[in-house]
Amino acid sequence: MEVYEFKKNFLTRLQETTNVLNGGGTNIPASAIRSEWTNFVEVAVEPTGWQALWKASRPVCEQLSVKYPLVVLGTVDQVLYDELKAIFTVEAIQDDDVHLPEEQITVDLEELWPLREQNNPALNVNITADCIDKLRFFYQHLWMPWDNDGEDEHGWIDKHLESRIRFCHDLKNKTMSRQLSSHALALLAEARYIQRKRDFIEQQLSEEEYQAEEEDEDNESSILKDNRSSELLQLNLRLNTIKNEINILENPVMRSVFEKVRFGVAKAKGEAPMSYVVTQAVPMDEQFAYLKRARDMIDEEISVKMCDSLQHALDHCSPESAIYLPPGTRQDIKFLEYLNSGGSFRGVCEAEFVNAYDLAIEENPTIVSKNDDSVLLTIDGDFTLENIRLDCANVRTGVVIKKGNITFRNCCFVGDPSSSTKQGIVIFGNCTITFERCVIREFSTGIYSNHDCTINLIDTTISDCMTGLETLDQCQILFRSASIKHCSQYGLLLEDFNDDAQSNQNASGDSKDGSRSQVFEDFNTIEREEFTFEGSCVFHDNAKGNFVIRKGFSERFNSSCFVDENLQQQDGEDGLEDSNCETTNVSFCDNYLEASKLSSTKQISRSSDTREQDVRSASDTGVSGSISQSEDESSEYGLENSTMDIRDVKYSSHEVQKSVATGVDNETIDDRDNHVIEIEDSIIEID
């Protein structure tokens, strides 16, 4: 099942957007931007009858109370041009456990990915797909949620278009430091999340107000008492703060000044290791008792510095530093760098979450995000957390682990039981994670794991989640006196992609959904090399099965590793391919589509000299060329979109022209007249 995908550089994006918004030759204000896109979409997009994949956004999944990410196959019955939306009829859902309340849903056009193969071949879907690609890029990367709320005196194109294109270019090409680009991407993700959530609340309030007017009732007092009104005010205040920071970051001159003010002086490397002890305002005797207990945990030869908060310590410590937290405190942080280099967070307390949960949540320190961020902590190296409670209620993912040896000892991860999209720990692969005496509860999924990693669950409990642990095959998991219980769906879900005899052994499992899934209630009946059981393990009261092995498709891919749209973008730029998780990388311009079921259709004309390079290179979705390339393209390269992005060109313009001419000898003269080759920021037209 192939979808249209377009690979374009930023010069092409700038030209395309300018042509759409400046078609009349006037510099239009922000209030007229949407009408220009409406006119363009009305001309280019087929009105009805084309098949597409719908990738639902996180706020939509929260509203529908379904698991995120969600990919749905269906048909567009009607395009609502004035609203830039479409009435979408659901035909199949990627996740068998998801059931949508209605068969017809109104969705945003930018969330639709048209299929290459249509039931009606007469439809001009390639132009439709290209138009939606332009619309998607504009509203996901150039248009900000506050643009409609600002002043409308100056033309939007002259004021914002080029600066925001350059801002996107700088984020992709790593011209900013990692902490600054991470901060910018987090702000953008949060802003778009706030925008969608704000739109939902405003729509609900307006509908209730309209209904009250029809019934001649005074609904003003009830609206003021409604919690949604206060939530809407908080969202608007936070959005205004993000707006001010992004406006500064769009200016290259102001970025360095902002970075010094926001993050302080860069941490020096090569200095002697130092530990940081966070203190609290308590009577003198309690302070001395706390410092004495902290002294027993610190090496005598290591220097110690006092800090008044965890945020203060993070702003000044080096990556390998150990930070000690006082018991019973709440540490609000906004930390955008990655944790690695053997550093640690340690609570100076001994109450255990597994044996004395109520006492432990009172005595152990709690780490929580200051704002509604995407991720609480990101780890890409060796790190240890001990005697810590991680409150993930106001973040969308608790901890993201990219690589390294990570140990969680006597830690508690708590999510939000009312959310269907919050994720506990997301593991990208190529790492070893040990959970020792830990508690993970109240998440949509407690632990997500890709293949090629090792997970040790020692005296650890996962409970009250939708799915306790979801993993791919070839992930080694040790259960030693561990338990998974009270999950509303599965205790453990294994996606199996093997075709050997092992995957076909039914053992004592009951078939489910035909022959695709096997359910095991007793772990002793599972004969899988991925699992090792030691001690007294307990798995019970999981609604749809304690262990479920579900047959996957042709390529290994864990869709759950996609935490957020902008986080995907950041991972693709930070060199995530080094962590053996190529299939979860997403390019700067394109959103995620699951590679195990979908393959992207590159609309690129290739010369004979560049075909081999394109086959080896990864696609925009991070999937290898062999996956993203269709069989038809392997033998014959279409010319539906004659744009090619050439990297590291070592030939002169004459040689490039000659190479392309050789690759199109068998084509018509009309086809050759339309060829355009883009080299970096220049364009060469070939006659």
Side-chain angles (χ1 to χ4, degrees), residues 316-470:
H316 296 85
C317 71
S318 56
E320 68 276 6
S321 298
I323 301 177
Y324 296 86
L325 304 176
T329 58
R330 177 186 173 93
Q331 304 292 334
D332 297 302
I333 65 170
K334 177 79 173 180
F335 188 60
L336 302 169
E337 295 185 55
Y338 295 167
L339 303 174
N340 48 42
S341 303
S344 63
F345 294 164
R346 301 179 188 272
V348 185
C349 184
E350 297 179 355
E352 294 190 358
F353 290 102
V354 174
N355 299 323
Y357 180 78
D358 294 335
L359 177 64
I361 60 176
E362 293 181 1
E363 294 191 359
N364 284 296
T366 299
I367 298 177
V368 64
S369 174
K370 286 183 178 180
N371 302 312
D372 188 14
D373 293 328
S374 298
V375 181
L376 179 59
L377 296 175
T378 303
I379 304 175
D380 69 343
D382 298 350
F383 203 81
T384 300
L385 284 91
E386 184 175 0
N387 304 330
I388 301 291
R389 179 175 179 264
L390 297 173
D391 187 348
C392 309
N394 63 337
V395 295
R396 296 186 282 282
T397 301
V399 179
V400 172
I401 300 174
K402 296 186 175 181
K403 59 183 178 180
N405 297 318
I406 297 93
T407 300
F408 299 99
R409 187 177 297 112
N410 191 32
C411 292
C412 177
F413 303 81
V414 180
D416 182 0
S418 63
S419 174
S420 63
T421 64
K422 289 189 184 296
Q423 303 158 330
I425 301 98
V426 175
I427 305 169
F428 282 103
N430 191 29
C431 52
T432 300
I433 302 97
T434 300
F435 297 91
E436 184 178 342
R437 295 178 286 115
C438 294
V439 172
I440 303 170
R441 56 184 301 172
E442 298 178 350
F443 290 99
S444 170
T445 298
I447 301 175
Y448 281 121
S449 174
N450 218 309
H451 62 284
D452 294 336
C453 65
T454 301
I455 301 175
N456 301 314
L457 297 173
I458 303 172
D459 296 319
T460 293
T461 300
I462 303 176
S463 66
D464 302 299
C465 299
M466 291 178 64
T467 299
L469 193 155
E470 181 178 343

Side-chain angles (χ1 to χ4, degrees), residues 125-298:
V125 183
N126 56 341
I127 296 179
T128 296
D130 184 57
C131 175
I132 294 177
D133 175 73
K134 297 173 184 176
L135 179 72
R136 183 185 301 117
F137 178 81
F138 178 81
Y139 277 105
Q140 290 187 357
H141 298 290
L142 304 183
W143 184 259
M144 298 298 172
W146 50 82
D147 283 343
N148 264 334
D149 303 333
E151 298 179 359
D152 209 21
E153 299 176 357
H154 305 286
W156 187 92
I157 298 176
D158 289 344
K159 187 176 181 181
H160 295 295
L161 181 57
E162 186 174 350
S163 63
R164 290 189 180 165
I165 285 280
R166 290 187 179 276
F167 184 48
C168 291
H169 182 272
D170 292 343
L171 284 173
K172 178 182 179 182
N173 293 310
K174 305 178 184 178
T175 59
M176 293 182 280
S177 65
R178 188 170 69 172
Q179 65 177 2
L180 187 60
S181 62
S182 176
H183 180 61
L185 290 169
L187 290 177
L188 293 173
E190 184 181 354
R192 291 186 171 88
Y193 175 81
I194 290 175
Q195 178 193 21
R196 292 180 181 273
K197 197 168 184 178
R198 184 179 64 170
D199 291 342
F200 284 136
I201 296 176
E202 289 177 347
Q203 182 179 0
Q204 291 174 353
L205 292 177
S206 62
E207 290 176 355
E208 293 176 3
E209 185 178 359
Y210 177 75
Q211 184 178 1
E213 289 178 356
E214 287 187 342
E215 297 175 357
D216 296 330
E217 295 180 0
D218 184 9
N219 198 37
E220 184 176 354
S221 59
S222 61
I223 291 178
L224 292 176
K225 294 179 181 179
D226 196 333
N227 292 331
R228 290 173 297 178
S229 298
S230 60
E231 184 180 5
L232 189 62
L233 178 60
Q234 293 177 358
L235 293 176
N236 286 325
L237 292 175
R238 176 58 185 160
L239 194 61
N240 190 59
T241 303
I242 296 175
K243 170 188 173 182
N244 295 332
E245 292 196 27
I246 292 296
N247 287 339
I248 295 174
L249 293 175
E250 287 179 4
N251 187 340
V253 179
M254 298 298 296
R255 287 175 196 163
S256 58
V257 179
F258 175 85
E259 186 171 10
K260 291 179 181 178
V261 173
R262 176 64 178 80
F263 302 104
V265 181
K267 304 177 182 69
K269 296 182 179 180
E271 296 182 353
M274 179 178 293
S275 295
Y276 291 79
V277 177
V278 178
T279 60
Q280 58 179 332
V282 293
M284 185 68 70
D285 292 340
E286 293 184 25
Q287 193 76 273
F288 279 138
Y290 162 64
L291 294 176
K292 182 179 179 180
R293 294 168 63 185
R295 183 189 63 182
D296 297 337
M297 302 173 65
I298 302 174

Side-chain angles (χ1 to χ4, degrees), residues 16 24 49 64 83 97 110 131-132 283 301 339 363 377 383-384 389 391 480 488 534 606 676:
E16 289 179 345
L64 298 175
E83 303 176 25
D97 300 316
E110 64 188 74
C131 175
I132 294 177
E301 299 179 357
L339 303 174
E363 294 191 359
L377 296 175
F383 203 81
T384 300
R389 179 175 179 264
D391 187 348
R480 181 181 298 165
S488 60
E534 299 178 1
R606 297 170 171 85
V676 176

